[in-house]
Amino acid sequence: MIGNERHGLVGVIFSDILRNGKIPMILLVSTLISAMAVVTVSHKTRLLTAQREQLVLEKDALDIEWRNLILEENALGDHSRVERIATEKLQMQHVDPSQETIVVQQ
């Protein structure tokens, strides 16, 4: 009595896929894996792009600060150069306001 055998639907589908559908099943699994890889890589790329933009903004801010520091250094360097020339070549010296005396010329 072959007609009275009962097989579960899941078992029949699984055995049919193993016998006749190996290539389509491999293609389906490959497609799913590929799709997940694309989603993962896209997500990581977006995160890295956002991080890069943040780093570019920080670099620009640091570059502006660096330029300001260079300008400040140059400005302070000019004052110290003038002071050095005044003391070395013109024999000028700092005056203490508390000991200042008034010299009247006639």
Side-chain angles (χ1 to χ4, degrees), residues 44-96:
K44 288 183 179 181
T45 302
R46 286 185 181 143
L47 289 177
L48 289 173
T49 302
Q51 184 181 10
R52 181 184 176 276
E53 289 299 320
Q54 181 64 32
L55 290 173
V56 166
L57 290 175
E58 287 179 24
K59 179 194 161 281
D60 289 343
L62 290 173
D63 192 37
I64 290 169
E65 184 179 351
W66 173 254
R67 280 189 240 133
N68 288 338
L69 288 172
I70 293 294
L71 290 173
E72 184 179 346
E73 181 184 35
N74 289 338
L76 292 174
D78 288 344
H79 291 299
S80 65
R81 179 177 171 269
V82 169
E83 184 178 353
R84 183 176 42 82
I85 291 172
T87 55
E88 289 176 2
K89 292 187 179 180
L90 302 174
Q91 285 77 37
M92 298 177 94
Q93 44 188 310
H94 286 283
V95 177
D96 187 8

